[in-house]
C-alpha cells in the first residue's frame, strides 16, 4: 500500500495522520476492541497535528457514515441477492448482519474521510 503514500486514500484506508501519514490516529489498531474503537491520540507525535480541530469536530463524521454504510449495504445486497440468488428475507438478514459486523470499520472510515476533508498531506512534515 506504500504506492498510495502521500494521497488521501492512503490516510483514509490506514487511519494514519492526514498531514504526515507516519502514525495511526487511533490508540488501538484493532477496530474490534469495542471500548477503544473511536479513541484517538490527541496529537500526532511525529508532526504535532491536533486531530480534534474543535470540540465535537467528529460529529460531522456521522454525515459521512451514512453513505459509507449504504455502500456496505449495497455490496452485501449485490453479493447475497445477485451472486448467491438468496431470497429477499435472507438478503435482508445478510445486509443487517453485514452492517452489525462492519460497524467499527464504518465508524473509523467515516472519521478518516471526515478529517481528510479538512487536513492535507504535507511532504515537508512527513520528512522531518
Amino acid at each position: 500500500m506504500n504506492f498510495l503514500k502521500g494521497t488521501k486514500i492512503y490516510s483514509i484506508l490506514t487511519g494514519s495522520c492526514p498531514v504526515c501519514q507516519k502514525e495511526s490516529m487511533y490508540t488501538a489498531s484493532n477496530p474490534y476492541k469495542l471500548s477503544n474503537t473511536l479513541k484517538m491520540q490527541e496529537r500526532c507525535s511525529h508532526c504535532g497535528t491536533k486531530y480534534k480541530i474543535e470540540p465535537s469536530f467528529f460529529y460531522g463524521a456521522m454525515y459521512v457514515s451514512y453513505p459509507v454504510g449504504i455502500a456496505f449495504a449495497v455490496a452485501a445486497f449485490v453479493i447475497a441477492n445477485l451472486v448467491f440468488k438468496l431470497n429477499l428475507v435472507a438478503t435482508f438478514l445478510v445486509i443487517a448482519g453485514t452492517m452489525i459486523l462492519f460497524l467499527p470499520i464504518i465508524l473509523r472510515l467515516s472519521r478518516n474521510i471526515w478529517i481528510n476533508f479538512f487536513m492535507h498531506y504535507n511532504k515537508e512534515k512527513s520528512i522531518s
Side-chain angles (χ1 to χ4, degrees):
M1 191 169 261
N2 280 338
F3 65 95
L4 291 173
K5 194 139 176 118
T7 65
K8 289 190 179 287
I9 292 174
Y10 180 84
S11 179
I12 290 168
L13 294 179
T14 62
S16 60
C17 173
V19 176
C20 70
Q21 299 182 352
K22 290 287 185 181
E23 70 176 29
S24 176
M25 294 186 292
Y26 300 96
T27 57
S29 61
N30 184 356
Y32 288 99
K33 286 187 175 179
L34 298 180
S35 61
N36 295 328
T37 297
L38 297 178
K39 286 189 181 172
M40 299 180 73
Q41 310 285 351
E42 184 70 28
R43 293 181 177 272
C44 176
S45 66
H46 186 265
C47 69
T49 299
K50 185 176 180 184
Y51 297 129
K52 287 187 180 181
I53 299 170
E54 60 187 30
S56 304
F57 171 71
F58 285 106
Y59 279 122
M62 72 180 169
Y63 296 105
V64 176
S65 70
Y66 184 77
V68 171
I70 293 296
F72 275 80
V74 167
F77 172 80
V78 167
I79 292 168
N81 192 274
L82 301 178
V83 174
F84 290 111
K85 308 284 189 214
L86 298 179
N87 64 33
L88 286 180
V89 173
T91 300
F92 173 77
L93 293 174
V94 168
I95 293 170
T98 299
M99 298 303 288
I100 292 168
L101 182 68
F102 287 103
L103 180 63
I105 292 175
I106 291 169
L107 291 173
R108 280 201 178 180
L109 272 176
S110 300
R111 280 189 169 207
N112 298 347
I113 292 168
W114 183 251
I115 199 168
N116 273 280
F117 280 142
F118 301 99
M119 296 184 184
H120 308 286
Y121 179 72
N122 185 333
K123 191 172 187 171
E124 288 81 33
K125 288 193 176 188
S126 69
I127 296 170
S128 59

